[in-house]
Amino acid sequence: MFLPIFPHLFSSDSDNELIVRVTIDSGNEHVVLTPTNWQLTDLNNDSTYTVIDSYIPPRTVAKQLLWARFPASGSSLQSIKLDFGKATKNEQFIDIPNLSLTREKGDWRINHFSF
């Protein structure tokens, strides 16, 4: 199964928090990815952050918008790793590889992403 996960990263208004938003389009597969299990690691100073707030859609749909908020300053992060933890597909566990991102000139771009 191919499950594309392309995150969008946003700094909060106070710039003391980073919001990671993910859209999952799983077609007719029943996929559950829980944002409360996500972890963000700042690869420049080896700091790890856990979710302080998140959103999961109220019902299972083919296209889901999830988000998680981390207590990290978005403007200070240059290279990060996102760990999405375990997900389930049709009630079977699937492992999603970590996603490493590097910021270049104010934007984030995907460095490595594979299944």
Side-chain angles (χ1 to χ4, degrees), residues 33-103:
L33 179 64
T34 309
T36 54
N37 298 332
W38 299 356
Q39 284 193 334
L40 178 132
T41 301
D42 181 347
L43 296 174
N44 289 339
N45 67 18
D46 202 28
S47 298
T48 300
Y49 303 95
T50 56
V51 174
I52 56 173
D53 192 16
S54 65
Y55 172 75
I56 302 171
R59 59 189 173 104
T60 305
V61 293
K63 192 168 187 176
Q64 301 178 50
L65 174 64
L66 314 168
W67 60 261
R69 194 163 37 114
F70 295 91
S73 173
S75 63
S76 68
L77 298 171
Q78 295 302 314
S79 185
I80 63 171
K81 177 179 73 174
L82 287 167
D83 180 351
F84 294 104
K86 297 269 185 203
T88 59
K89 179 191 83 153
N90 299 329
E91 299 183 16
Q92 294 182 344
F93 283 107
I94 56 174
D95 192 26
I96 299 175
N98 294 335
L99 178 63
S100 295
L101 301 169
T102 300
R103 183 202 316 256

